[in-house]
Amino acid sequence: MHASTGKGSKVKYSRVLFKISGEALMGSRPFGHDMEVIDQLCKDISDIYKLGVQVCIVVGGGNIFRGAYASLSGCERASSDYIGMLATIINALILQNFLEKNSVNSKVLSAIPMVTICEPYIRRKAIHHLKKGRVVIFAAGTGNPFFTTDTAAALRAVETNCDAILKGTQVNGVYSADPKKNEDAVMYDRLSYMDLLTRDLKVMDASAISLARENSIPIIVFSLKEEKIVNIVKGHGTYTIVSDCE
């Protein structure tokens, strides 16, 4: 972790990867996009951008298409996953539009080359954009079927030397059980990577957790509705941190 100062305000993490699920873009809608929710999300990202924090984003596509569900319904799995990757590109372009509406310079880099609408993913190019003060949105997952956008988030965080992975969810941390179904569920302030794996806590998939563990990148799980991202990067607020550091 690298402490830095942006415009007079101390932050705990100077370069972060923000993992946003496709479902987070739906708001209360059953499908698609809630533009007011997306606008507010981009305003929150703008707050940390103005502090000088370098921001990467990986966005899912579940608000448009879920490859796992389609494959269960008879669609061939690899094809389903590629369709899901295309959904993430749509979401990335929408995020880019709303970020720029909020005066945040951003670039979309896709693991599947689509040069008419965005740049292809090149690691050194991504780092160059970050150093130039641009938010980088990674689209199309890893570019390979059978890997989730959680794994893509961990991979891109490692490749771009991020200080932390911010995982925005519907609840304010990691619980022992689903707090919406079990009122006795306990929220954890801190967990180790092995705790997530051995207790089968559904935060990120095993590949993503293993990548983060091997490269000592903390995973911070917080509520998109109840917590401001700016508090997280300053080390404040309510969240669960997954790390092997005491």
Side-chain angles (χ1 to χ4, degrees), residues 143-164:
N144 301 291
F146 306 105
F147 291 93
T148 68
T149 50
D150 279 346
T151 299
L155 177 62
R156 298 294 184 241
V158 172
E159 289 180 307
T160 54
N161 305 310
C162 287
D163 301 323

Side-chain angles (χ1 to χ4, degrees), residues 23-72:
E23 288 84 351
L25 307 184
M26 294 192 304
S28 58
R29 296 171 181 267
F31 175 84
H33 304 87
D34 185 322
M35 298 307 181
E36 290 184 7
V37 167
I38 295 170
D39 191 37
Q40 184 57 56
L41 181 61
C42 290
K43 282 182 168 69
D44 291 345
I45 295 169
S46 174
D47 289 340
I48 63 173
Y49 173 80
K50 290 173 183 175
L51 290 177
V53 176
Q54 295 177 4
V55 183
C56 308
I57 298 171
V58 168
V59 62
N63 57 318
I64 300 172
F65 185 86
R66 296 199 65 87
Y69 174 78
S71 63
L72 289 173

Side-chain angles (χ1 to χ4, degrees), residues 24 108 134 143-144 167 239 245:
V108 174
R134 299 160 189 153
N144 301 291
K167 169 87 171 180
Y239 55 82
C245 300

Side-chain angles (χ1 to χ4, degrees), residues 73-119:
S73 302
C75 193
E76 197 265 327
R77 173 63 191 272
S79 294
S80 297
D81 285 354
Y82 281 120
I83 297 167
M85 289 178 218
L86 297 179
T88 72
I89 295 170
I90 293 171
N91 285 339
L93 292 172
I94 289 173
L95 284 173
Q96 181 184 39
N97 274 271
F98 276 89
L99 285 169
E100 295 192 345
K101 175 189 169 187
N102 286 285
S103 302
V104 176
N105 193 354
S106 61
K107 297 288 184 180
V108 174
L109 275 61
S110 171
I112 297 175
M114 300 184 73
V115 294
T116 306
I117 57 173
C118 59
E119 297 180 19

